Amino acid sequence: MDPTDLARIQFATTSIYHFVFVPITIGLAFLVAVLHTKWYRSGKEDHKRLTRFFGHLLLINIAVGVVTGLVQEFQFGTNWSAYSRFVGDVFGAPLAMEGLAAFFLESTFVGLWVFGWNVLPRRVHLATIWLVAVGASLSAAFIMAANSWMQHPVGYTTNAQTGRPELSSIGDLFTNPVFVWGYIHVLLASLLTGAVLMLAVSAWQLRRRENSGLFRGSAKLAIIVLLPVSVLALGVGSHLGVVEAEYQPMKISAAEAQWETCQPCSFSLFQIRGGRNDETPTQLLEVPHLLSVLATGTWNGQVEGLNELQAADVQQYGEGNYVPNVFVQYWSMRVMAYLGSLLVLVGLWGAWLLYRRKLTESRLFLAVATWAVLAPVLMNTAGWMLTENGRQPWLVQGLMKTADGVSTSVSTTELAISLAALVVVYLLLGIAYVFLMLRYARRGLELDHAEEEPGRDPRTPAITY
């Protein structure tokens, strides 16, 4: 492999790994804030214990997410220095906002929330967890703004002397249609992920028949969030496809393996073979007009084929292969869509059981809900691969190719060694993460420290570690 391939694999490894924790953190922070609000209003110790129970899971995700996110950002300077120099006058602004505003907000108030039990006034303590949720959401907003600029560059002018883009309108950056719909989609996917995690943990606890009353409440909250959010996520994702088809038609055509222009266009639910050198895969279970609807928002819309788009790009940008990996695009899109649809069904099933007051009695649903925790992780990963792989061979659409952004001073050997080291470290970190999540998810609801110490005045403030 050449240095570009190794640099891409390394960044893909860190990005995919990091993105496992981002949606969990955003979604779970919101749900923990809701639980904390419930305790604040009721004053019941059981609600406090439930808040702290899921708070432990949130803190594990924040810790691992911070570590993996920092490693990812350092690669801009080590492996992608040419890219950093080229886009620094644009890309640096949202990254600086993320670090100075969102990350600072999130990290500061998560510390106050952790150490503020029985110390801060209850109203102030409640505000800290809501600010954690806001900070996590803002962090995603700034990162998505930067990434969306790579998908559809806006709000910049090109410096005549350096030939590099410079930010001219911060407003255009945050009203970029790709950002607006992409960010809404990420928030919905995050809420869905947090709800499924809470439902899975609650379902496992309900199968043990311990604290069934409290965990039924957390399962109910998860289902109430899951059902509408999963439906909205599918709708927003569909509209995002229309937006991306306007600015990145190659990405959408590759997601359907559509080599020739069609009108109207069918959507294949499944195909055999297909890829860069296979333009005639065997498509099974085609849905008439569905691709036209997904790509154009109209019943008989036209979708340009990969061959026509390739010829147009060669004429505009010069010789080269502008078709992304079709196999990855095709199956990433379907994994994301099919798992998203499956979670809608899980939400409907759970809502029906809640309505009939048989949630805790359905052993089959509780088992399915427990294993459903894997679905949003795979779904989010597939969505991220669909977005980033579909941009290739561009690093910044129409402005800079991936091969031109890699650091020229980093050798193949150095990239291979650092990649191997990262894989080993991330594997160990992943094992530790799974161990901690399982350990804390399987624990019962603990009593507050003040309750566990006979004779101690619970009103006495104390910071515990």
Side-chain angles (χ1 to χ4, degrees):
M1 292 186 180
D2 61 23
T4 301
D5 291 331
L6 286 172
R8 285 187 63 195
I9 293 173
Q10 185 173 123
F11 199 84
T13 301
T14 54
S15 297
I16 290 172
Y17 194 88
H18 175 62
F19 200 66
V20 169
F21 311 106
V22 171
I24 297 176
T25 298
I26 296 173
L28 200 56
F30 171 79
L31 291 170
V32 170
V34 172
L35 289 175
H36 195 140
T37 303
K38 190 175 181 179
W39 167 64
Y40 173 80
R41 290 180 174 179
S42 68
K44 295 180 180 179
E45 286 299 321
D46 284 345
H47 292 162
K48 179 181 179 181
R49 292 161 62 197
L50 195 63
T51 302
R52 298 187 69 161
F53 176 87
F54 284 102
H56 282 122
L57 304 183
L58 171 63
L59 294 175
I60 294 170
N61 279 277
I62 290 177
V64 179
V66 168
V67 172
T68 54
L70 290 175
V71 172
Q72 182 182 2
E73 291 196 11
F74 277 122
Q75 288 178 84
F76 290 126
T78 56
N79 297 349
W80 301 95
S81 58
Y83 164 77
S84 298
R85 284 191 293 270
F86 181 74
V87 303
D89 293 326
V90 176
F91 205 76
L95 288 187
M97 294 177 188
E98 192 272 339
L100 296 174
F103 181 72
F104 180 80
L105 180 71
E106 181 183 1
S107 58
T108 299
F109 285 99
V110 77
L112 290 173
W113 186 73
V114 170
F115 297 112
W117 293 96
N118 303 321
V119 177
L120 294 174
R122 290 181 60 197
R123 183 175 299 180
V124 174
H125 193 220
L126 173 63
T128 61
I129 187 59
W130 278 108
L131 287 171
V132 170
V134 170
S137 300
L138 282 177
S139 181
F142 295 125
I143 296 300
M144 282 297 298
N147 182 267
S148 297
W149 185 84
M150 297 168 66
Q151 312 287 337
H152 175 51
V154 295
Y156 74 95
T157 56
T158 302
N159 187 302
Q161 294 181 337
T162 63
R164 297 198 294 255
E166 296 178 352
L167 185 64
S168 59
S169 174
I170 192 69
D172 288 349
L173 195 68
F174 287 101
T175 56
N176 184 345
V178 176
F179 162 72
V180 172
W181 289 102
Y183 179 55
I184 294 173
H185 192 53
V186 166
L187 288 182
L188 291 172
S190 299
L191 286 172
L192 184 150
T193 303
V196 172
L197 176 62
M198 179 172 285
L199 177 61
V201 173
S202 301
W204 190 89
Q205 293 284 354
L206 288 172
R207 290 165 66 190
R208 294 174 59 198
R209 305 293 185 185
E210 294 185 13
N211 296 295
S212 58
L214 282 177
F215 282 110
R216 184 186 182 279
S218 59
K220 180 180 179 180
L221 171 62
I223 292 171
I224 289 173
V225 173
L226 171 61
L227 183 54
V229 164
S230 59
V231 175
L232 285 172
L234 287 177
V236 171
S238 177
H239 184 74
L240 181 60
V242 176
V243 173
E244 291 187 330
E246 180 179 353
Y247 303 113
Q248 295 176 298
M250 187 75 79
K251 176 187 292 186
I252 301 303
S253 296
E256 179 53 26
Q258 188 67 44
W259 291 93
E260 301 298 334
T261 299
C262 58
Q263 186 179 13
C265 304
S266 300
F267 180 89
S268 66
L269 298 178
F270 184 84
Q271 76 175 23
I272 300 174
R273 305 189 317 273
R276 189 180 297 276
N277 300 315
D278 184 4
E279 299 185 16
T280 57
T282 301
Q283 297 185 335
L284 306 174
L285 301 175
E286 291 187 90
V287 181
H289 297 273
L290 183 55
L291 178 58
S292 292
V293 173
L294 294 175
T296 68
T298 61
W299 184 250
N300 293 313
Q302 175 180 290
V303 177
E304 290 187 87
L306 293 170
N307 289 327
E308 286 78 8
L309 292 170
Q310 165 68 15
D313 283 354
V314 168
Q315 184 176 6
Q316 182 175 1
Y317 301 112
E319 292 297 324
N321 184 8
Y322 297 92
V323 179
N325 189 309
V326 177
F327 182 85
V328 173
Q329 286 297 102
Y330 183 91
W331 287 110
S332 293
M333 196 257 192
R334 279 149 185 79
V335 168
M336 179 181 63
Y338 295 166
L339 289 177
S341 301
L342 179 63
L343 290 175
V344 172
L345 297 178
V346 172
L348 286 169
W349 187 6
W352 174 247
L353 291 172
L354 276 175
Y355 174 75
R356 300 187 63 192
R357 298 183 180 181
K358 292 185 177 181
L359 180 67
T360 58
E361 300 174 14
S362 178
R363 304 292 291 180
L364 178 59
F365 174 79
L366 295 178
V368 170
T370 301
W371 286 102
V373 71
L374 299 176
V377 175
L378 296 174
M379 182 183 69
N380 294 333
T381 300
W384 192 245
M385 292 177 66
L386 176 71
T387 299
E388 299 308 299
N389 177 75
R391 188 182 65 242
Q392 299 303 319
W394 295 105
L395 202 51
V396 180
Q397 186 74 34
L399 295 181
M400 185 182 211
K401 290 185 177 180
T402 303
D404 299 327
V406 70
S407 300
T408 57
S409 59
V410 181
S411 67
T412 302
T413 302
E414 290 170 330
L415 282 167
I417 293 174
S418 60
L419 173 60
L422 275 174
V423 168
V424 171
V425 172
Y426 276 23
L427 180 61
L428 295 175
L429 192 61
I431 293 172
Y433 169 78
V434 172
F435 170 78
L436 288 172
M437 287 293 287
L438 290 177
R439 178 185 177 188
Y440 280 93
R442 290 175 174 175
R443 292 195 316 177
L445 294 174
E446 294 184 342
L447 294 175
D448 185 57
H449 291 297
E451 300 175 68
E452 294 175 347
E453 300 177 20
R456 179 173 178 260
D457 185 355
R459 295 171 298 176
T460 303
I463 295 180
T464 57
Y465 294 86

